[in-house]
Amino acid sequence: MKFIDEYRNVELGKKLINRIDQLSTKPARLMEFCGGHTVAIMRNGLRQLLPQTVEMLSGPGCPVCVTANADIDKTIALSHLPNVIIATFGDMIKVPGSYSSLQQARAAGSDIRIVYSTQDALQIARDNPEKSVIFIGIGFETTTPTIAASILQAEKEEVKNFYVICLLKLCPPVMKTLLDLGEIRIDGIICPGHVSTIIGSRPYEFIPNDYGISCVVSGFEPLDILLSVEMLVEQIESGKPRVEIAYRRGVKPEGNRKALELMDSVFEVSDANWRGIGVIPASGLELRENYKRFNAETAFPVVLEPVREAKGCICGDILRGTKTPADCKLFRRVCLPEHPVGPCMVSSEGACAAYYQYGVD
Ligand code: SF4
């Protein structure tokens, strides 16, 4: 198949659903790790089309959602500093921190600009040499190479007023943590497609080997996801868990070597703070010694008020897969996309936003 609408072909979709129906005899609880998959599943009504034996569960793969309140508070505090411009991806602006949001800070006078790439942020720095430009670096392995490239570019051009607050996170360590927590039964994982274009499928090998759980790397179109479910069901039925790639047009087992080298040249592995889980060792990235001067946290130390979590918000539980948005008392009543209480209602990849938008309870 060459064109995107071919991955939305209804007849092929029906065939895959029939095949899953025929194959599936045992309960199969599948976690879609990635928020992009949650949205695609909801948008296409895939949950309702699968047999009762197959249950889908949302995971923690939304970078905005997993950013801890303490880190959001830091970005807001940085925005209050004089002569600072904050550059951020759009989803972050409405996310409530402990006391306010970047949107509220902007309304109160902070200079906060939405960008579509780190290159945009770097351009703002070039255009405003008298100001300090801080890019909020959130994301998983997918975003990291572009942030690394912008830092290398800033270094090359000697852009002295460009900084990054490094909130980057790694997927395989949080998968391992979820499995070690043992709070939920998972039979199979739909592994993230975009992340895997960078890291490949090999970093997931520990999941079938150590936990006996099946893994399939999936793309984001309805047929990609149905094919992945079929492959997972086949693995579960045969009792032979392994890592497979359904998203062959984007992912190789070894990943993208160039992007990995780029990441590795600028960042090193560090601990990271995840919403709903806490600090996970070696699950994030920080700037290597050579690039420390770009670190906004050390360049602009800020004093923070104690961290507060929004009362009644269960985003943390949803990200760990122990609850769904429908379990939240605030869902649809108090928490709405116009007045989000937690990040899962803000982000375009958030489970609460997807449940809300596609009318799922
Ligand atoms: Fe948090 Fe709102 Fe989701 Fe409830 S519905 S978990 S308050 S984001």
Side-chain angles (χ1 to χ4, degrees), residues 20-21 23-31 50-56 185-189 212-214 229 232-239:
I20 294 165
D21 217 0
L23 272 176
S24 183
T25 63
K26 301 177 189 169
R29 206 155 193 238
L30 311 181
M31 174 179 268
L50 294 170
Q52 287 199 338
T53 40
V54 179
E55 186 188 349
M56 305 292 292
R185 197 200 89 230
I186 302 173
D187 303 304
I189 298 179
I213 292 173
S214 306
V229 171
L232 282 170
V233 168
E234 194 277 328
Q235 286 191 35
I236 292 162
E237 291 291 327
S238 67

Side-chain angles (χ1 to χ4, degrees), residues 1-18:
M1 290 197 282
K2 266 172 39 197
F3 301 107
I4 206 75
D5 55 348
E6 293 175 290
Y7 291 91
R8 298 172 185 173
N9 183 298
V10 174
E11 291 312 313
L12 289 177
K14 282 183 189 163
K15 279 187 187 156
L16 280 167
I17 290 162
N18 283 340

Side-chain angles (χ1 to χ4, degrees), residues 19-203:
R19 170 105 179 112
I20 294 165
D21 217 0
Q22 283 162 9
L23 272 176
S24 183
T25 63
K26 301 177 189 169
R29 206 155 193 238
L30 311 181
M31 174 179 268
E32 80 269 0
F33 174 87
C34 174
H37 282 144
T38 302
V39 172
I41 289 165
M42 298 286 177
R43 187 193 296 130
N44 294 289
L46 300 184
R47 281 188 186 192
Q48 294 86 329
L49 299 174
L50 294 170
Q52 287 199 338
T53 40
V54 179
E55 186 188 349
M56 305 292 292
L57 200 65
S58 302
C62 158
V64 170
C65 307
V66 294
T67 302
N69 262 9
D71 289 329
I72 291 165
D73 293 349
K74 233 177 272 170
T75 66
I76 296 167
L78 288 169
S79 80
H80 292 145
L81 298 176
N83 293 318
V84 159
I85 300 173
I86 299 286
T88 177
F89 294 138
D91 273 4
M92 276 298 277
I93 199 148
K94 277 168 89 178
V95 178
S98 300
Y99 302 92
S100 101
S101 65
L102 286 169
Q103 191 173 43
Q104 286 168 308
R106 183 160 76 171
S110 295
D111 192 345
I112 299 170
R113 305 189 192 180
I114 292 175
V115 293
Y116 295 99
S117 73
T118 45
Q119 288 300 324
D120 292 349
L122 185 54
Q123 190 56 43
I124 294 173
R126 289 188 195 105
D127 295 343
N128 296 273
E130 73 293 355
K131 303 258 177 124
S132 299
V133 175
I134 300 174
F135 175 71
I136 303 179
I138 62 154
F140 296 124
E141 292 90 333
T142 327
T143 343
T144 308
T146 62
I147 299 177
S150 71
I151 288 171
L152 292 174
Q153 187 69 27
E155 170 93 341
K156 192 171 153 202
E157 293 179 27
E158 296 185 28
V159 181
K160 304 260 189 249
N161 61 328
F162 180 65
Y163 302 88
V164 174
I165 177 162
C166 202
L167 306 174
L168 296 164
K169 294 184 172 56
L170 302 172
C171 292
V174 74
M175 290 172 153
K176 178 168 173 13
T177 301
L178 280 188
L179 298 175
D180 286 340
L181 282 173
E183 294 179 303
I184 41 166
R185 197 200 89 230
I186 302 173
D187 303 304
I189 298 179
I190 297 184
C191 296
H194 294 147
V195 164
S196 307
T197 59
I198 306 295
I199 66 172
S201 61
R202 287 189 188 135

Side-chain angles (χ1 to χ4, degrees), residues 3-4 28 59 72 89 129 163 182 204 262 270 277 293 310 317 332:
F3 301 107
I4 206 75
I72 291 165
F89 294 138
Y163 302 88
Y204 309 120
L262 190 57
S270 65
I277 302 173
R293 81 153 191 82
D317 299 321
R332 282 191 204 285

